[in-house]
Amino acid sequence: MQFLSLRVRILFGMGAVVSISMLWMMYGIRSVLGEVAQTTVDQRLEAASRSFDRYLTSRTRFLEAMVASVAETAHVKSTLELGDRETAAVCAREAQPSLEGRFVVLTNAEGKLLAHTAGAGANPDAQLASAIRIALGGQRYSGILTDDHGPFLAGAAPVTVRTEIGERLVGVILAGERVDARLATEFREAIGIDVLVTRGQKAVAWSMADATSVEPEAAAKLLAAGVASHRNVQRIRASDIDRFALTRPFGATGQIVLSNSATDLIALEGHLSTLAIKFGTLAAAVAALLGIWISRRLTGPLRDLVSAADDVAGGDLDTVVSESGTQETVQLGRAFNHMTQHVRQLVNDVRHKAEVLQQQKNELEWANQVQRNFLVSASHELRTPITSISSSSEILLHHGGDDEAETRQEFLSIIENETERLTGLLTQMLKWTEVEAALSCHKVEAFDLPTAVEETLAAFRRGKGHGRRVTFQVTSQANTCLGDRPAIQQLIEQLLDNVHKFTPPDSDVTVLLRDGELGIELHIEDQGPGIPDEDMRRRVFERFVQGGDILTEKPPGVGLGLAICTEIATTHGGEVRCEQSESGGALFIVTLPWSIIDAPAERERVSTQVGG
């Protein structure tokens, strides 16, 4: 439950943080895009205003050029020079086609009205005074004028005739173009922005792309909404349509309102709102997935660690957790694995020490058992000759005078033999204890093994081996042995003593020193009865075990010689085994490991001598 609550907290926290961040970012994006859109609209209206100024200037100058061209015609000059009103009225009407239907006003050189066409207003000379004065000054005029009907575009030019003394002013011709729906449409098409022209609170002309008509009240609503500050874009609502509007003066008392529908911006805002909702939903989903992923990366290794800890508590010390996830979980997993490895090492050390202690215990128990067996065997072996000596002595003591000399001699022989036997038994026991004592602190030295074997064989030939043919052959490539030389020679003496016990005096004895697979091997082969039984060949190296039939013909000794050989060979890391030779005799093989053999030498030595 703790991990589940941690996952829930992670998911909730990630979802909240990411969702708030995404919503805040979307709000910021929406605000920025809204400001960008607003700025774009403002810049568009400002650019449209500048375009309108350029278009209006070019149109009025074009009108001025047209008026100047008409002023240069002879008919207009002669009419104004004549000064007749009826003729001037006819001339004004005839000039209208040349001015594309615009109204025409003609004055004399004093600025008094001579004639005008329809559309010029009720008192054009007063309303056009500023333009006429400029033209009477000999200059052309182009601009925007306003009368009772509203603003109009005007162009004026002086009319002169050439005389002998120079040019003489005879009058002024002026043409005007009312700002109506047609002109407003031309304005809109030229600048790409909706146009509304007003005079005071009254709409004079308009042209809008998103409405076929706008009632005059619409203009009043625009102006009443506060669109009166020039060069200031405002968002207003007219005819149920949101618009961005820019108002600027148009003539003396007129105004022109340049506006653009806010429909696109409203659609953009709606689209951004929709995107914000969708993106917020997507952000929440992403936050949830991210939270699940992060929580798994955090809680997954922790769950694995808890499971691994339970396994370790259950005794499975080989449990290893994956070192993955975040840096912290990787460090935690590495520390856990290091801890379990250390625990395994400690447990293994304890187990090893326990095994060593158990082995030592078993060895001590075995040694105690061997010691008990040795005491039992020794007691049994000692009891027999002692009993024989005691019985024979008692008979001689109590009945020796009554027996014949031959009988007394027989009992004395028994006593002598059993005494020798007892002496040999004690000698063997003493030798066993000496071997154990020597091997417990044996001295390791480098010596020539073939030489040591030859010395032992020489002593055997002079002693117990008298009459036997002893052959010694060396085929080994090694000569130096690292070990206890007296112990090795004693091992060979015990094996040769065994040959003496079980072989005829005139038999052959073959000794071979050669290289084996596991070490150097010493072979001693005799021509005695051998040991046919394989199990007996293994048991013969145990203490107080002897080959042959001990019930019918017990061999001399107590069965400690071969046990001594085994002890010496084992102490040097080798072994002694017995096999049956091809001739039927016994073949004893002593193996000394290569680890104690050094300094190979190339030689083959054959030594054959007869003892004695």
Side-chain angles (χ1 to χ4, degrees):
M1 293 299 295
Q2 293 180 353
F3 292 122
L4 181 60
S5 62
L6 175 61
R7 172 172 289 187
V8 171
R9 289 197 297 270
I10 292 175
L11 290 176
F12 179 78
M14 288 295 300
V17 171
V18 175
S19 298
I20 293 175
S21 301
M22 292 299 181
L23 291 176
W24 181 259
M25 183 177 68
M26 285 305 300
Y27 174 77
I29 292 174
R30 185 176 181 274
S31 300
V32 171
L33 290 178
E35 292 179 0
V36 171
Q38 180 71 46
T39 303
T40 303
V41 171
D42 292 349
Q43 292 176 351
R44 183 179 180 186
L45 288 176
E46 293 289 349
S49 177
R50 292 190 294 271
S51 298
F52 178 75
D53 289 340
R54 291 192 296 270
Y55 177 76
L56 190 61
T57 300
S58 63
R59 187 163 185 110
T60 54
R61 288 183 178 177
F62 177 72
L63 179 57
E64 174 191 335
M66 292 178 63
V67 172
S69 177
V70 173
E72 292 297 328
T73 61
H75 181 58
V76 173
K77 289 185 177 184
S78 61
T79 299
L80 293 183
E81 186 177 10
L82 181 60
D84 181 56
R85 291 181 180 273
E86 293 181 0
T87 305
V90 173
C91 181
R93 287 192 298 271
E94 290 176 351
Q96 269 190 307
S98 300
L99 296 173
E100 298 179 354
R102 296 175 176 85
F103 70 84
V104 179
V105 176
L106 298 176
T107 67
N108 58 18
E110 287 78 18
K112 292 181 179 181
L113 180 64
L114 293 178
H116 63 85
T117 60
N123 190 17
D125 55 345
Q127 296 169 348
L128 304 176
S130 59
I132 293 174
R133 282 197 303 272
I134 293 174
L136 291 176
Q139 297 180 358
R140 297 178 183 179
Y141 172 82
S142 62
I144 302 173
L145 299 177
T146 304
D147 59 11
D148 296 337
H149 298 287
F152 60 90
L153 306 182
V159 180
T160 58
V161 296
R162 184 177 296 276
T163 63
E164 294 179 357
I165 61 174
E167 295 289 337
R168 179 172 63 88
L169 179 66
V170 295
V172 173
I173 180 172
L174 182 144
E177 182 179 11
R178 292 289 175 182
V179 178
D180 53 11
R182 179 188 60 79
L183 187 58
T185 301
E186 292 182 5
F187 287 166
R188 181 177 62 80
E189 292 176 350
I191 63 178
I193 296 293
D194 295 342
V195 176
L196 171 64
V197 180
T198 65
R199 183 173 181 270
Q201 298 295 323
K202 182 180 180 181
V204 175
W206 57 87
S207 179
M208 298 183 181
D210 54 1
T212 57
S213 65
V214 176
E215 297 180 359
E217 288 77 7
K221 289 180 181 179
L222 287 173
L223 298 175
V227 187
S229 57
H230 305 325
R231 304 293 179 181
N232 185 19
V233 178
Q234 298 186 21
R235 183 171 179 173
I236 61 175
R237 187 172 182 82
S239 298
D240 296 330
I241 298 176
D242 288 336
R243 311 185 68 81
F244 292 97
L246 175 65
T247 302
R248 51 164 298 163
F250 193 75
T253 60
Q255 290 181 334
I256 183 167
V257 180
L258 304 177
S259 64
N260 191 22
S261 174
T263 305
D264 294 340
L265 184 59
I266 293 174
L268 177 61
E269 291 177 348
H271 183 62
L272 289 177
S273 300
T274 303
L275 285 179
I277 295 173
K278 292 181 179 179
F279 197 72
T281 304
L282 179 62
V286 171
L289 294 176
L290 186 61
I292 293 174
W293 180 73
I294 293 177
S295 63
R296 285 182 178 178
R297 282 179 62 84
L298 289 177
T299 60
L302 295 180
R303 288 197 303 271
D304 295 341
L305 191 62
V306 171
S307 177
D310 293 337
D311 294 340
V312 172
D316 186 6
L317 299 180
D318 294 328
T319 302
V320 178
V321 298
S322 175
E323 299 177 5
S324 60
T326 62
Q327 182 179 2
E328 292 76 10
T329 55
V330 169
Q331 293 177 351
L332 187 60
R334 187 178 296 118
F336 180 84
N337 292 334
H338 179 72
M339 178 194 69
T340 55
Q341 181 182 3
H342 185 62
V343 171
R344 284 197 301 272
Q345 292 177 351
L346 292 177
V347 171
N348 292 334
D349 291 342
V350 171
R351 289 175 179 174
H352 177 69
K353 291 179 180 178
E355 292 176 356
V356 171
L357 291 175
Q358 184 64 36
Q359 183 179 1
Q360 292 176 350
K361 178 183 176 184
N362 295 335
E363 291 177 355
L364 289 175
E365 291 178 352
W366 178 81
N368 291 333
Q369 183 64 35
V370 169
Q371 185 177 10
R372 287 193 295 270
N373 294 338
F374 177 77
L375 292 176
V376 171
S377 300
S379 299
H380 178 269
E381 293 293 334
L382 291 174
R383 188 180 297 113
T384 300
I386 291 175
T387 301
S388 298
I389 293 173
S390 176
S391 299
S392 300
S393 300
E394 184 177 355
I395 293 173
L396 289 175
L397 180 63
H398 295 286
H399 305 285
D402 300 332
D403 296 334
E404 297 179 357
E406 184 178 353
T407 302
R408 289 196 303 272
Q409 185 64 33
E410 180 180 356
F411 283 115
L412 290 174
S413 297
I414 292 174
I415 293 173
E416 182 181 8
N417 292 334
E418 293 300 330
T419 301
E420 291 179 357
R421 179 182 176 187
L422 181 60
T423 301
L425 181 61
L426 292 176
T427 302
Q428 288 285 338
M429 291 181 180
L430 180 60
K431 185 178 295 185
W432 172 262
T433 57
E434 290 176 351
V435 169
E436 284 193 333
L439 292 178
S440 63
C441 56
H442 71 287
K443 180 181 179 182
V444 177
E445 60 178 341
F447 62 94
D448 188 82
L449 182 59
T451 301
V453 175
E454 286 180 348
E455 291 177 355
T456 308
L457 291 177
F460 176 71
R461 294 188 188 99
R462 292 191 298 270
K464 296 179 180 180
H466 181 74
R468 293 177 175 83
R469 292 180 295 277
V470 180
T471 302
F472 178 40
Q473 183 178 4
V474 179
T475 62
S476 172
Q477 298 299 315
N479 59 353
T480 302
C481 176
L482 299 176
D484 191 340
R485 177 170 181 161
I488 296 296
Q489 288 183 319
Q490 187 176 4
L491 183 152
I492 300 173
E493 289 176 1
Q494 292 294 334
L495 293 177
L496 294 175
D497 185 64
N498 196 69
V499 172
H500 165 70
K501 293 178 182 178
F502 293 97
T503 60
D506 59 347
S507 62
D508 293 333
V509 179
T510 303
V511 180
L512 172 65
L513 188 64
R514 71 168 197 174
D515 293 334
E517 181 178 355
L518 301 178
I520 192 168
E521 295 180 353
L522 177 65
H523 293 222
I524 299 179
E525 181 181 354
D526 60 37
Q527 293 181 336
I531 306 176
D533 185 59
E534 183 177 357
D535 182 63
M536 178 57 68
R537 288 201 298 269
R538 288 194 300 268
R539 294 184 60 247
V540 76
F541 294 98
E542 298 177 5
R543 282 175 285 191
F544 300 108
V545 176
Q546 289 180 297
D549 190 354
I550 61 174
L551 295 178
T552 60
E553 187 177 351
K554 185 181 183 305
V558 295
L560 290 177
L562 295 181
I564 292 174
C565 294
T566 301
E567 190 73 17
I568 295 173
T570 303
T571 303
H572 287 79
E575 64 174 0
V576 181
R577 66 182 186 274
C578 178
E579 297 180 359
Q580 194 76 358
S581 67
E582 295 179 357
S583 62
L587 172 61
F588 289 91
I589 302 175
V590 180
T591 302
L592 298 177
W594 290 117
S595 59
I596 65 171
I597 304 300
D598 194 11
E602 295 183 0
R603 68 164 169 267
E604 182 174 353
R605 181 186 307 169
V606 178
S607 174
T608 302
Q609 294 184 5
V610 178

